[in-house]
Amino acid sequence: MSNYQKRSKTELAARVAQDIFDGAYVNLGIGQPTLVANHLPAGREVVLHSENGILGMGPAPVPGQEDYDLTNAGKQPVTLLPGGCYFHHADSFAMMRGGHLDICVLGAFQVSSTGDLANWSTGESGAIPAVGGAMDLAVGAKSTWVMMDLLTKTGECKVVKECSYPLTGLACVKRIYTDLCTLECTPDGLVLIDTVPGLTHAELERIVGLPIRK
């Protein structure tokens, strides 16, 4: 019987935010990563970027004070901090492709043990391809982190030896933040950063099905 508890989405967002260094320029991808904006430590200056042309985003607006003319790439209403600005979509992608972002935090369908990323399509028939700026971010940011649940809804591990879904980028992911653990991807495989309390190393390796170095 397991004696550990998964991180909630809020706890996972706070765990990612904890590792973002002061002065970083960071893109938060669509989905779970947008929650990170609400958990950046007080007093730490982090400049948030959105690929639709915003720099200097703040936390989510208070309910009832949303401005739907101010949204992120996922069409969610956001706030703008003092000094924030808007610019052309092409300039935003130039920032992404030009190596001007320190970190991007993306969701994923699969990540390989060596950091290959699959996050834009499961290849299902009839699915709408929606890669957006993920390919540009994955290879353009100085460090690419993934934030996701470790397991699918049907219990398969999303961290795999080799991705079976269409790839977004090769060997681009440096860290994987999940509801059960934090892992580092290296050319030699996975390295453990931390786990939730009560989850043993042996049990985590059983869940993932791959060796994880301490």
Side-chain angles (χ1 to χ4, degrees):
M1 184 174 179
S2 62
N3 59 350
Y4 59 85
Q5 187 171 356
K6 294 180 179 179
R7 293 166 176 153
S8 66
K9 286 181 170 49
T10 297
E11 290 169 335
L12 179 53
R15 175 64 188 88
V16 176
Q18 173 188 320
D19 285 353
I20 298 175
F21 61 88
D22 189 56
Y25 284 76
V26 181
N27 179 284
L28 301 178
I30 293 170
Q32 283 195 47
T34 60
L35 299 174
V36 173
N38 301 330
H39 299 280
L40 295 169
R44 188 177 301 178
E45 183 180 20
V46 175
V47 182
L48 297 180
H49 168 273
S50 182
E51 67 191 66
N52 58 321
I54 308 174
L55 199 62
M57 287 187 299
V62 175
Q65 296 185 17
E66 299 91 345
D67 178 358
Y68 284 92
D69 288 326
L70 177 55
T71 62
N72 61 21
K75 299 189 172 99
Q76 296 171 307
V78 296
T79 58
L80 194 69
L81 298 178
C85 58
Y86 317 109
F87 37 86
H88 194 279
H89 207 112
D91 295 322
S92 181
F93 271 70
M95 292 179 193
M96 293 154 55
R97 294 169 178 170
H100 302 291
L101 297 176
D102 295 300
I103 299 167
C104 71
V105 185
L106 302 173
F109 296 128
Q110 289 177 332
V111 182
S112 79
S113 58
T114 55
D116 296 343
L117 172 64
N119 80 337
W120 68 278
S121 173
T122 59
E124 292 183 9
S125 177
I128 300 172
V131 68
M135 289 181 178
D136 304 87
L137 287 165
V139 300
K142 295 173 185 174
S143 189
T144 297
W145 298 353
V146 159
M147 175 183 174
M148 66 181 187
D149 293 338
L150 183 60
L151 303 178
T152 67
K153 292 179 181 178
T154 52
E156 290 88 10
C157 187
K158 295 182 182 180
V159 178
V160 295
K161 184 175 182 181
E162 294 181 1
C163 296
S164 59
Y165 294 147
L167 290 178
T168 306
L170 289 168
C172 56
V173 177
K174 298 296 184 286
R175 292 184 187 176
I176 309 170
Y177 293 83
T178 80
D179 51 351
L180 290 180
C181 62
T182 309
L183 302 168
E184 180 181 354
C185 296
T186 77
D188 298 319
L190 300 168
V191 176
L192 181 65
I193 296 176
D194 64 39
T195 65
V196 295
L199 176 59
T200 66
H201 183 260
E203 176 67 3
L204 179 61
E205 285 192 317
R206 186 196 67 77
I207 293 169
V208 174
L210 294 169
I212 303 172
R213 290 182 287 131
K214 291 186 179 180

